[in-house]
Amino acid sequence: MEKQPLDILPEYVLFGSQASYDNAKVVALPVPYDSTSSYRSGSREGPKAIINASRFIEPFSYELGFDISKRVPVYTMDELMPDFSSPEHMIDRIKKEVSLIVEDKKVPLLIGGEHTIALGSLQALKEKNANITVVQFDAHSDTYEELNTTKYSHGSIMARARELYSSVFQVGIRSIDKRSFDIVDRKTLFFIDDVRREGADKVGSKINKACKENIYITFDFDVLDPSEMPSVGTPEPNGLKFEEVLAMFKEIAKGKNLVGADFVELTPIPSLEAPNYLAAKLIYLFLGIFFG
Ligand SMILES: [Mn+2]
């Protein structure tokens, strides 16, 4: 007999129901890792908080008009064991896992954890298919050549991504180092002011027109305004609204093929549940928009 809603609490997996691995379109990999955080640490608690909150999302989305869980079967893997010996080792471990997911023709979805973990995914995908556009949602450009003596830190992730991929877009940025600011290509990096002036739809549509068919999204929750999303390692004022992010997702997704994504830097604040739920719901709607 099929389990009835409300008879039992949902399973401890993303969105409360585990698809069979064979049927899964998306494979979620929780990565409870933070080690290079420079301000508030604790994003290693992010995956647990997102998974727990995600169990209580109404499966039917009135915004999209369908039950996302039915159209986008998700298999949630066990949490990946952190390797604290060095960020390079951790990135390697993630890369191996993501390679297996990609070989099985599934879309990897990393749930972080700090932003550094994205590099494992980007390296793994690059080996299979270099013809990918990377779109970063972030308050920070993360373009330090190196930070705190490592090239593999949360603040250098996009410097590394730009070495791997020629097509990269950055959006929602409102903190950037001077060197990067001086050389920035304003056609590929959209500051928050650009979004305010042009509107989220317009910026999303510009990215959609300029990017390749295959898209990877790396999403740092601090792109959101701290009034909605205070639970991040480095909260930056004047951020995007939840609805602006959804508007951009809708434009960017048009006619494109999502090959992977990561959602990083959720750093739960004890007893403050709303941001965790927001994070979970954003990921749910994201999947509905890109695969619905
Ligand atoms: Mn970041």
Side-chain angles (χ1 to χ4, degrees):
M1 204 178 94
E2 216 188 315
K3 289 173 199 164
Q4 294 301 308
L6 306 181
D7 280 358
I8 54 163
L9 284 167
E11 288 175 82
Y12 268 94
V13 293
L14 210 53
F15 315 124
S17 92
Q18 184 79 311
S20 76
Y21 186 83
D22 286 348
N23 287 338
K25 186 186 284 271
V26 171
V27 173
L29 177 62
V31 187
Y33 175 79
D34 63 47
S35 113
T36 76
S37 309
S38 29
Y39 192 6
R40 264 188 84 226
S41 63
S43 66
R44 72 181 70 177
E45 305 298 333
K48 268 191 218 78
I50 289 172
I51 289 170
N52 189 40
S54 76
R55 299 160 64 221
F56 302 99
I57 296 171
E58 164 61 47
F60 172 72
S61 163
Y62 88 92
E63 297 101 319
L64 302 181
F66 54 87
D67 179 332
I68 297 169
S69 67
K70 293 248 156 56
R71 286 205 199 171
V72 192
V74 177
Y75 180 90
T76 305
M77 295 179 73
D78 288 334
E79 288 176 288
L80 193 65
M81 174 72 91
D83 181 335
F84 291 114
S85 60
S86 77
E88 288 93 323
H89 283 128
M90 188 59 195
I91 290 165
D92 244 20
R93 180 170 288 184
I94 295 162
K95 182 184 173 186
K96 285 194 186 101
E97 287 296 328
V98 172
S99 295
L100 297 173
I101 296 169
V102 176
E103 273 160 29
D104 287 339
K105 308 246 183 304
K106 315 282 184 197
V107 176
L109 172 68
L110 263 59
I111 308 291
E114 64 167 67
H115 209 156
T116 317
I117 68 168
L119 204 52
S121 227
L122 291 171
Q123 288 180 354
L125 282 158
K126 164 89 191 220
E127 282 180 4
K128 315 286 172 202
N129 180 3
N131 204 20
I132 295 171
T133 289
V134 178
V135 183
Q136 173 209 23
F137 285 79
D138 206 315
H140 313 91
S141 66
D142 294 350
T143 42
Y144 276 108
E145 232 339 272
E146 64 177 57
L147 189 62
N148 305 326
T149 72
T150 174
K151 289 176 78 178
Y152 299 94
S153 106
H154 65 100
S156 304
I157 168 74
M158 293 312 289
R160 300 292 82 76
R162 282 190 183 271
E163 288 165 359
L164 285 170
Y165 295 92
S166 58
S167 177
V168 175
F169 291 89
Q170 304 179 258
V171 65
I173 308 298
R174 50 204 191 273
S175 167
I176 185 168
D177 59 284
K178 170 84 165 63
R179 185 194 62 88
S180 306
F181 183 73
D182 287 343
I183 57 169
V184 69
D185 172 4
R186 297 290 292 267
K187 284 193 208 64
T188 67
L189 187 146
F190 297 91
F191 290 101
I192 191 73
D193 325 50
D194 300 323
V195 181
R196 293 279 173 264
R197 194 176 53 252
E198 299 185 37
D201 305 45
K202 183 75 193 299
V203 170
S205 153
K206 273 189 175 174
I207 293 173
N208 174 274
K209 288 196 178 77
C211 73
K212 297 171 189 279
E213 192 191 336
N214 296 316
I215 295 192
Y216 183 93
I217 302 269
T218 180
F219 193 96
D220 187 325
F221 283 108
D222 68 26
V223 77
L224 290 157
D225 192 79
S227 61
E228 283 187 312
M229 177 45 78
S231 303
V232 290
T234 316
E236 201 66 58
N238 191 24
L240 292 175
K241 298 284 176 203
F242 186 79
E243 59 181 320
E244 290 176 313
V245 170
L246 292 183
M248 276 195 246
F249 283 167
K250 283 176 187 163
E251 289 300 322
I252 293 170
K254 284 179 183 165
K256 304 294 179 181
N257 174 40
L258 185 81
V259 295
D262 60 76
F263 285 81
V264 297
E265 297 285 349
L266 182 80
T267 306
I269 298 170
S271 302
L272 191 60
E273 196 53 29
N276 303 342
Y277 187 83
L278 182 154
K281 185 145 189 187
L282 189 74
I283 298 171
Y284 192 61
L285 291 170
F286 167 80
L287 294 179
I289 290 166
F290 274 86
F291 294 119

